[in-house]
C-alpha cells in the first residue's frame, strides 16, 4: 500500500505548483491594479485583434477578404505563412498605449492602428483605425470586405444592434471585468474629413464553442447571394457572412461539444479602396470623456504618440546619433515594435508527464504574459527564447521584463521545473500537432531568463535611485524563493556522473532512426552531440549556462542580503578555466567540446527491404532511411566545431588571457569553419554533419544556418573581450566590428528585400529562411545596432 501511495503522490508532483507565494498577486493584471495594460494586442496569433489580460477575456479582432479576385475565398485571420502576404508587422508599438501595423496583401495594404485612452474603472477606451490603399501596380481598385468581430470566451455577453442601411451599427456588452461597454462601427470614408463611401453591410450573430473555431464559423457562414451595386458600376455578386443563418445549424459545429457556447458577432463592411474605417470601444464607467476618440481627434492622438515613440526610441537606442539611415531606423523600430506588439496573454493548462505517470496529466491553470518567437508559426511562449526577448524589452520597459519573468516563474512546479513550451488554451493547442504537446519534467531548456535578470540588476546598480530600482528590488525579493528552486532543479536533475559536469536530459531515444539523436532541450535541436546518448555524456553549453546562472544567483542573493556564499563558490568552480578544460577541451579539435559515447562513422542509408525473387519491387513498402554505424562508439570528445564549442567564450567564462581564446577567435574568423559574410554559421563547414539531414523528413536546422540569438551573444562577447585587458583585445575588437556589421547589414537587407525578419539565415547566401515573421530573438539586431549589451 505504501509503495502505491508513494507512487501516486510522486505522480502528482509534476503537476503540483511551487508552494512559495506567487510573484504576482492574483489580480495583478486586472483593470483595477494595472488599468494601463489591461487592453492590448495580446493576441499575437491573429493579424489584428485585442483582448484584456484576463483568463477569459472578451476578444475583438479583424478578418478580411478580397472580393471578385478568384473563385476561392481568401479569408485572412490568424497569421499564416500560407497566406503569402508580402509583409506584415507592427511598425510602431509602445507596448502600452498605441500601435501602428502595416499588412501588405497581394494588391492592397491595410494599415491597422489602435490608440488607447485611460478613464473609468475597467481599462478605458480604445479606437481602431483601418486604412486601405491599393498598390500602385494594381490596375483596378480592389473591393475588400473587412469583418470586425467580438467574441466572448465563456464569460460575459454581447448584443448586436442592427441599424437600417448600416448593418451592425454597434455592439453592447457586459462582463464582470469590463462592466458595460459599447463597440461602435463607423462608416467608411476616404479620409477623416471626407464623405461616407458606398459600402455593403452584412452581419453574423451566432455563438461559438471556443475561440479556435472563429475562422471556421465565418467560413461556413459565407454565401454568394449578396449583390454589390455601386452607384457608378456594374452589379456583382459578392461573398459575405450570412446573417440570416440560424446559429445552431452550422454543419461543422460538433453538437456534442460540451463547452459552454459564447456570443460571437461579426460586422462585415464591403467597400472599394481607398478607404478608412474606425471602430470605437467605450467603457460605460468612463464618464468624463472629453470627446470621442475618432476622426481628427484620433489623428491628433496618433500623431502625438508617434512623435513620443520616435523620441523615446532615439533616447533609448540612439540609432540616429550613430548615423544609421532613416530606413535602417524604421527597420529597427519595426523589429522592436513587432516583439512588443507580439506579446501575448495566454491562459490555460499545459499537458505534462513524468516517469511516474502512465498518461499525461493536466497542469494547473495558469496565465502567461510573454513575448513569442513568431506570430505565424510559434505564437506561444518558449522558455529559452524568452530570456533573449527580455534582453531587448528590458531596455525599452523594464516593467514588461519584470512582469513576463514573474509570469514564467509563477508557472514553476514544486520540483523546480518549468515546462519549456507553453501551449495554453484551446487557441494555442489548435496550432500544435499532438506529438509536440506533452511536456516532460525531465526536460530542461537553457535558463536564459538569468540573462534578463542580469540586465535588470545592472540597471539597478548603475542607478540605484532610478524610478525602476525599487520595483526591481521588490520583484527580486518575491522571485527569489522560486529562483532558488529553479537553480537547484538544474543542479540536481541535469548533472553528470563526473563532479561539476552537466548533461541535457531528454535526447531522442530511437538512435537508429536519426543520423544524430536530437537534443531539443538544449534549444539547439539537431546540433550534433554524442552519437549514442548515455549517462556518461557531458555538455559544455549547459556547463556554461550553469556558470552564468550561479553567478547571477550570487549577485541577487547579495543584493537581497540573502546567503550567497554557496552560489559564489559554485560560480567559481564552474568558471574555473582549468576544470572547464579538463572536462571539455579537446586537443584533437583544438576547441571546447561535448564528451560522450560517440563515433563519427555514422550515415543514413536505405533500409534493406527483402523483395522475394521475381516480385516487382514497388509492391513492397518504400525503404526508409536508417542509421548505419560503421565503427562502434566509445567514450571520447564529440569534436563538432560550432556554436556549442563557443560557449565558454559566449558567456564570458574564458579568461581574457587564455590562449584558448586565440583558437576560438581564429575558428570564428575562418570562412571554412564558422565565418560567413552574414554572421557565424552554427556548425563548421568542415564538420561531417554540416548541412546533413537528420532523417529523410528532417532538414538541417542547427547544422549550418545562421541564428541571431547566438550571434548576438558572440557580438556581445567580442565587445566584452575587446574591453578587458588581454593579449587578444585588439583581435576581438576587429572581429567585433566586422561581425556586428555583417549581421546588421544582412538582417536589414533581407527585411528590405523580403518584407520580413526571419528565424535563421542561409550561411551561403544570407537569405532569410524558416519561420517568418520571426521577431523573437532575431530582433536582437536592434541591440547590436545600438551597441547595448
Ligand atoms: C513544432 C510546429 C505549425 C526551434 O523558437 C522556438 C523554438 C526554439 O526554442 C528552438 O531553439 N524553435 C528552435 O530550435 C521553434 C520550435 C517549434 C516547435 C513546434 C510544432 C507546428 O507549427
Amino acid at each position: 500500500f505504501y509503495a502505491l501511495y508513494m507512487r501516486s503522490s510522486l505522480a502528482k508532483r509534476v503537476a503540483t505548483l511551487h508552494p512559495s507565494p506567487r510573484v504576482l498577486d492574483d489580480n495583478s493584471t486586472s483593470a483595477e491594479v494595472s488599468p494601463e495594460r489591461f487592453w492590448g494586442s495580446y493576441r499575437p496569433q491573429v493579424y489584428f485583434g485585442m483582448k484584456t489580460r484576463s483568463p477569459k477575456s472578451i476578444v475583438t479582432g479583424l478578418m478580411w477578404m478580397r472580393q471578385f479576385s478568384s473563385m476561392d475565398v481568401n479569408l485572412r485571420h490568424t497569421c499564416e505563412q500560407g497566406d503569402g502576404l508580402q509583409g506584415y508587422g507592427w511598425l510602431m508599438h509602445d507596448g502600452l498605449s498605441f500601435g501602428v501595423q502595416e499588412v501588405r496583401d497581394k494588391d492592397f495594404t491595410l494599415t491597422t492602428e489602435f490608440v488607447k485612452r485611460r478613464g473609468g474603472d475597467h481599462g478605458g477606451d480604445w479606437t481602431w483605425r483601418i486604412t486601405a490603399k491599393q498598390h500602385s501596380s494594381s490596375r483596378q481598385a480592389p473591393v475588400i470586405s473587412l469583418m470586425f468581430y467580438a467574441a466572448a470566451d465563456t464569460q460575459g455577453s454581447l448584443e448586436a444592434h442592427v441599424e437600417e442601411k448600416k448593418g451592425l451599427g454597434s455592439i453592447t456588452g457586459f462582463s464582470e471585468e469590463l462592466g458595460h461597454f459599447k463597440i461602435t462601427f463607423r462608416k467608411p470614408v476616404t479620409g477623416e474629413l471626407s464623405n461616407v463611401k458606398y459600402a455593403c453591410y452584412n452581419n453574423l450573430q451566432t455563438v461559438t464553442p471556443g475561440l479556435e473555431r472563429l475562422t471556421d464559423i465565418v467560413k461556413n457562414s459565407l454565401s454568394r447571394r449578396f449583390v454589390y451595386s455601386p452607384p457608378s458600376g456594374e452589379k456583382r455578386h459578392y461573398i459575405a457572412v450570412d446573417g440570416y443563418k440560424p446559429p445552431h445549424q452550422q454543419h461543422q459545429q460538433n453538437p456534442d461539444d460540451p463547452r459552454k457556447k459564447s456570443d460571437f458577432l461579426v460586422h462585415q463592411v464591403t467597400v472599394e479602396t481607398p478607404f478608412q474605417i474606425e471602430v470605437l470601444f467605450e467603457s460605460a464607467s468612463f464618464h468624463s470623456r472629453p470627446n470621442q476618440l475618432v476622426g481628427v481627434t484620433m489623428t491628433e492622438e496618433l500623431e502625438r504618440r508617434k512623435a513620443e515613440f520616435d523620441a523615446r526610441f532615439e533616447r533609448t537606442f540612439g540609432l540616429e546619433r550613430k548615423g544609421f539611415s532613416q530606413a535602417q531606423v524604421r527597420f529597427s523600430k519595426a523589429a522592436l515594435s513587432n516583439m512588443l506588439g507580439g506579446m501575448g496573454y495566454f491562459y490555460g493548462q499545459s499537458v505534462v508527464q513524468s516517469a511516474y505517470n502512465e498518461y499525461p496529466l493536466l497542469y494547473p491553470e495558469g496565465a502567461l504574459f510573454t513575448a513569442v518567437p513568431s506570430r505565424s508559426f510559434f505564437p506561444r511562449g518558449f522558455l529559452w527564447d524568452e530570456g533573449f526577448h527580455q534582453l531587448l524589452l528590458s531596455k525599452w520597459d523594464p516593467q514588461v521584463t519584470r512582469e513576463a519573468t514573474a509570469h514564467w516563474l509563477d508557472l514553476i512546479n514544486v520540483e523546480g521545473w518549468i515546462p519549456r513550451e507553453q501551449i495554453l488554451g484551446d487557441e494555442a493547442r489548435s496550432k500544435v500537432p499532438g506529438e509536440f504537446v506533452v511536456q516532460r519534467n525531465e526536460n530542461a531548456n537553457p535558463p536564459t531568463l538569468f540573462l534578463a535578470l542580469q540586465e535588470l540588476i545592472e540597471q539597478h546598480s548603475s542607478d540605484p535611485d532610478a524610478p525602476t530600482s525599487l520595483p526591481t528590488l521588490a520583484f527580486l525579493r518575491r522571485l527569489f524563493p522560486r529562483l532558488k528552486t529553479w537553480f537547484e532543479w538544474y543542479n540536481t536533475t541535469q548533472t553528470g556522473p563526473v563532479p561539476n559536469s552537466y548533461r541535457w536530459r531528454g535526447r531522442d531515444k530511437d538512435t537508429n532512426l536519426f543520423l544524430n539523436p536530437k537534443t531539443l532541450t538544449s534549444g539547439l535541436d539537431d546540433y550534433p552531440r554524442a552519437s549514442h546518448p548515455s549517462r556518461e555524456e557531458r555538455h559544455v553549453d549547459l556547463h556554461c549556462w550553469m556558470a552564468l546562472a550561479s553567478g547571477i544567483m550570487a549577485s541577487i542573493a547579495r543584493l537581497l542580503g540573502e546567503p550567497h556564499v554557496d552560489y559564489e563558490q559554485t560560480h567559481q568552480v564552474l568558471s574555473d578555466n582549468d576544470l572547464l578544460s579538463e572536462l571539455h577541451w579537446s586537443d584533437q579539435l583544438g576547441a571546447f567540446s561535448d564528451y560522450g559515447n560517440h563515433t563519427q562513422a555514422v550515415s543514413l542509408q536505405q533500409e534493406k527491404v527483402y523483395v522475394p525473387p521475381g516480385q516487382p519491387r514497388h509492391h513492397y513498402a518504400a525503404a526508409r532511411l536508417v542509421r548505419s554505424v560503421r565503427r562502434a562508439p566509445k567514450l571520447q570528445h564529440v569534436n563538432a566545431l560550432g556554436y556549442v564549442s563557443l560557449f565558454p567564450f559566449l558567456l564570458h567564462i574564458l579568461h581574457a588571457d587564455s590562449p584558448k581564446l586565440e583558437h576560438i577567435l581564429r575558428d570564428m574568423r575562418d570562412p571554412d569553419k564558422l565565418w560567413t559574410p552574414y554572421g557565424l554559421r552554427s556548425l563548421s563547414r568542415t564538420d561531417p554533419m554540416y548541412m546533413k539531414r537528420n532523417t529523410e523528413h528532417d532538414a538541417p536546422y542547427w547544422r549550418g544556418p545562421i541564428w541571431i540569438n547566438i550571434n548576438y551573444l558572440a557580438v556581445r562577447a567580442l565587445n566584452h573581450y575587446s574591453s578587458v585587458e588581454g593579449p587578444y583585445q585588439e583581435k576581438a575588437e576587429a572581429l567585433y566590428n566586422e561581425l556586428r556589421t555583417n549581421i546588421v547589414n544582412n538582417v536589414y537587407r533581407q527585411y528590405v528585400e523580403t518584407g520580413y525578419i526571419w528565424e535563421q539565415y542561409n550561411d551561403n547566401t544570407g537569405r532569410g529562411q524558416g519561420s517568418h515573421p520571426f521577431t523573437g530573438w532575431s530582433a536582437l539586431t536592434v541591440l547590436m545596432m545600438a551597441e547595448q549589451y
Side-chain angles (χ1 to χ4, degrees):
F1 166 78
Y2 186 68
L4 252 175
Y5 169 79
M6 279 302 291
R7 212 179 151 78
S8 79
S9 76
L10 283 172
K12 283 191 200 123
R13 279 172 66 83
V14 62
T16 304
L17 290 176
H18 195 273
S20 74
R22 298 187 153 238
V23 187
L24 297 160
D25 296 328
D26 267 352
N27 61 355
S28 72
T29 62
S30 67
E32 222 184 331
V33 176
S34 184
E36 71 287 1
R37 291 181 203 269
F38 195 49
W39 276 106
S41 54
Y42 307 128
R43 308 179 64 211
Q45 71 278 13
V46 298
Y47 288 116
F48 191 53
M50 301 218 322
K51 64 179 279 194
T52 58
R53 292 204 302 175
S54 39
K56 300 282 173 198
S57 170
I58 300 265
V59 304
T60 56
L62 172 70
M63 304 185 195
W64 74 89
M65 60 194 274
R66 164 88 150 85
Q67 295 286 352
F68 317 126
S69 60
S70 62
M71 287 312 285
D72 55 308
V73 176
N74 291 309
L75 186 68
R76 318 286 197 205
H77 179 216
T78 51
C79 303
E80 303 292 342
Q81 285 180 191
D83 288 345
L85 300 188
Q86 294 173 27
Y88 63 93
W90 296 99
L91 301 179
M92 289 186 183
H93 197 302
D94 64 358
L96 201 61
S97 75
F98 94 112
V100 178
Q101 179 178 233
E102 199 175 80
V103 182
R104 277 179 286 144
D105 208 326
K106 300 259 154 65
D107 54 359
F108 58 92
T109 291
L110 297 180
T111 306
T112 67
E113 299 169 300
F114 76 89
V115 169
K116 281 160 61 181
R117 201 190 233 182
R118 290 187 62 175
D121 308 321
H122 299 277
D125 295 353
W126 48 255
T127 295
W128 288 1
R129 175 184 277 181
I130 315 294
T131 310
K133 291 202 172 85
Q134 73 187 85
H135 294 168
S136 49
S137 54
S138 70
R139 263 175 290 127
Q140 258 187 342
V143 174
I144 301 167
S145 292
L146 299 186
M147 295 150 168
F148 297 98
Y149 67 80
D153 184 9
T154 65
Q155 174 208 199
S157 58
L158 300 168
E159 196 183 333
H161 301 277
V162 180
E163 293 166 25
E164 213 185 320
K165 294 205 179 129
K166 197 184 155 189
L168 198 53
S170 62
I171 293 173
T172 53
F174 173 82
S175 78
E176 220 169 282
E177 305 163 303
L178 289 171
H180 289 279
F181 59 86
K182 180 175 183 188
I183 301 173
T184 309
F185 302 106
R186 309 239 308 162
K187 290 190 168 184
V189 292
T190 358
E192 82 211 8
L193 294 172
S194 61
N195 291 332
V196 169
K197 290 194 71 160
Y198 170 81
C200 294
Y201 298 96
N202 301 81
N203 66 81
L204 178 65
Q205 305 172 33
T206 184
V207 292
T208 175
L211 297 179
E212 82 287 2
R213 300 293 319 280
L214 303 184
T215 318
D216 271 354
I217 291 174
V218 166
K219 267 195 184 149
N220 287 316
S221 82
L222 294 177
S223 144
R224 288 175 196 267
R225 71 185 177 84
F226 304 101
V227 180
Y228 179 82
S229 163
S232 55
E234 48 167 333
K235 287 190 165 85
R236 285 182 284 178
H237 281 277
Y238 72 99
I239 305 169
V241 292
D242 202 335
Y244 297 105
K245 192 171 231 164
H248 294 286
Q249 284 179 12
Q250 280 142 23
H251 46 269
Q252 287 237 340
Q253 194 155 301
N254 178 358
D256 302 327
D257 202 319
R259 289 176 293 175
K260 181 177 166 228
K261 294 184 169 54
S262 309
D263 293 334
F264 177 34
L265 302 179
V266 183
H267 167 66
Q268 175 173 349
V269 191
T270 301
V271 55
E272 189 182 82
T273 60
F275 66 85
Q276 186 166 93
I277 298 187
E278 288 173 348
V279 178
L280 270 77
F281 176 95
E282 291 169 308
S283 167
S285 67
F286 190 169
H287 299 298
S288 54
R289 188 178 294 113
N291 51 12
Q292 281 201 317
L293 184 51
V294 294
V296 184
T297 310
M298 174 70 175
T299 305
E300 282 168 7
E301 275 298 313
L302 267 170
E303 289 312 314
R304 191 168 64 78
R305 287 173 210 233
K306 285 181 189 173
E308 274 169 19
F309 176 87
D310 286 340
R312 178 169 165 199
F313 191 86
E314 181 57 19
R315 254 197 335 269
T316 310
F317 300 111
L319 299 189
E320 281 168 30
R321 242 175 305 150
K322 280 181 173 293
F324 283 103
S325 72
Q326 282 306 310
Q328 285 168 321
V329 173
R330 273 200 303 277
F331 150 77
S332 187
K333 286 176 182 166
L336 170 78
S337 297
N338 209 49
M339 189 188 277
L340 271 170
M343 291 207 70
Y345 183 90
F346 304 96
Y347 190 84
Q349 298 173 278
S350 287
V351 184
V352 300
Q353 194 165 8
S354 77
Y356 301 103
N357 310 114
E358 197 170 339
Y359 300 105
L361 298 180
L362 281 177
Y363 208 64
E365 292 199 313
L368 184 61
F369 175 57
T370 186
V372 303
S374 165
R375 288 175 56 194
S376 58
F377 239 62
F378 323 124
R380 49 187 178 274
F382 287 82
L383 183 53
W384 91 302
D385 295 63
E386 191 59 8
F388 288 107
H389 301 155
Q390 295 306 330
L391 279 175
L392 175 59
L393 297 184
S394 57
K395 305 277 188 189
W396 178 256
D397 185 354
Q399 175 66 12
V400 166
T401 300
R402 286 191 294 264
E403 290 198 21
T405 309
H407 273 96
W408 275 97
L409 265 300
D410 274 348
L411 287 171
I412 199 169
N413 78 358
V414 63
E415 305 163 315
W417 171 69
I418 306 176
R420 175 168 62 100
E421 185 174 345
Q422 295 282 337
I423 309 163
L424 305 178
D426 294 327
E427 242 183 317
R429 191 85 55 81
S430 70
K431 280 214 145 192
V432 185
E435 71 263 32
F436 292 104
V437 171
V438 179
Q439 306 290 307
R440 300 201 56 110
N441 75 338
E442 297 90 351
N443 293 351
N445 205 205
T448 55
L449 286 172
F450 282 106
L451 288 170
L453 292 172
Q454 182 176 35
E455 167 64 23
L456 290 184
I457 298 170
E458 274 167 21
Q459 286 182 10
H460 169 82
S461 48
S462 73
D463 187 2
D465 299 326
T468 65
S469 275
L470 265 182
T472 291
L473 276 185
F475 156 74
L476 288 175
R477 196 154 279 134
R478 292 184 74 157
L479 197 69
F480 193 61
R482 288 166 180 272
L483 277 185
K484 281 203 304 205
T485 322
W486 197 38
F487 178 76
E488 252 341 278
W489 180 85
Y490 284 90
N491 258 320
T492 47
T493 67
Q494 308 291 307
T495 47
V498 178
N500 302 308
S501 73
Y502 290 89
R503 171 166 72 92
W504 298 111
R505 304 306 200 267
R507 294 196 58 195
D508 283 338
K509 298 212 168 57
D510 299 329
T511 50
N512 67 323
L513 293 184
F514 308 96
L515 183 60
N516 185 275
K518 286 196 290 205
T519 317
L520 294 179
T521 49
S522 73
L524 311 174
D525 299 16
D526 63 340
Y527 186 94
R529 309 277 184 169
S531 61
H532 292 67
S534 71
R535 300 167 56 88
E536 279 70 42
E537 206 167 342
R538 44 183 195 252
H539 296 122
V540 60
D541 50 339
L542 184 49
H543 182 109
C544 296
W545 285 120
M546 293 313 291
L548 171 92
S550 52
I552 310 299
M553 282 306 288
S555 312
I556 297 177
R558 231 179 289 125
L559 201 62
L560 298 177
E562 296 274 344
H564 53 263
V565 178
D566 281 358
Y567 295 121
E568 256 150 33
Q569 273 168 3
T570 307
H571 181 59
Q572 263 165 28
V573 171
L574 296 182
S575 314
D576 179 333
N577 279 212
D578 292 336
L579 172 75
L580 188 61
S581 299
E582 211 174 285
L583 291 170
H584 286 296
W585 181 263
S586 160
D587 283 324
Q588 189 191 332
L589 184 69
F592 289 103
S593 165
D594 288 342
Y595 179 90
N597 190 27
H598 181 65
T599 172
Q600 268 197 0
V602 292
S603 52
L604 283 184
Q605 295 189 345
Q606 298 265 308
E607 192 174 31
K608 299 227 161 36
V609 175
Y610 175 71
V611 181
Q615 296 287 321
R617 188 169 179 105
H618 63 263
H619 284 181
Y620 292 81
R624 53 176 189 169
L625 291 178
V626 291
R627 183 166 84 165
S628 99
V629 177
R630 294 186 307 279
R631 207 175 328 112
K634 61 168 200 238
L635 286 177
Q636 58 175 319
H637 286 294
V638 175
N639 287 339
L641 184 75
Y643 287 169
V644 165
S645 14
L646 302 183
F647 264 81
F649 153 82
L650 292 176
L651 297 181
H652 312 183
I653 293 155
L654 205 55
H655 297 155
D657 56 4
S658 167
K660 299 192 163 69
L661 187 54
E662 190 176 16
H663 282 83
I664 289 184
L665 297 181
R666 207 187 308 128
D667 287 343
M668 274 171 47
R669 187 60 190 85
D670 185 345
D672 288 330
K673 294 180 174 169
L674 301 183
W675 191 260
T676 86
Y678 321 107
L680 300 175
R681 60 166 70 85
S682 40
L683 187 62
S684 168
R685 202 200 265 290
T686 56
D687 191 276
M689 295 276 171
Y690 171 71
M691 288 311 281
K692 286 273 162 58
R693 304 180 78 80
N694 209 33
T695 69
E696 63 231 271
H697 310 293
D698 208 351
Y701 202 36
W702 293 83
R703 294 183 181 174
I706 297 161
W707 294 78
I708 303 304
N709 59 336
I710 303 294
N711 272 278
Y712 167 79
L713 291 179
V715 168
R716 172 180 175 266
L718 288 168
N719 183 61
H720 166 76
Y721 288 106
S722 70
S723 64
V724 286
E725 194 104 13
Y728 316 110
Q729 199 174 356
E730 276 168 29
K731 183 79 196 148
E733 186 174 356
L735 274 187
Y736 167 75
N737 289 320
E738 262 189 297
L739 183 59
R740 167 175 176 261
T741 308
N742 286 352
I743 299 164
V744 169
N745 285 354
N746 189 58
V747 176
Y748 169 68
R749 193 176 61 233
Q750 294 302 317
Y751 176 75
V752 172
E753 279 175 16
T754 65
Y756 290 105
I757 292 173
W758 295 75
E759 183 185 21
Q760 349 131 14
Y761 293 87
N762 185 290
D763 64 319
N764 283 315
T765 62
R767 287 200 56 95
Q769 51 191 29
S771 147
H772 57 280
F774 191 102
T775 40
W777 57 46
S778 298
L780 290 174
T781 310
V782 178
L783 291 185
M784 295 189 247
M785 294 169 83
E787 304 192 86
Q788 294 187 5
Y789 307 108

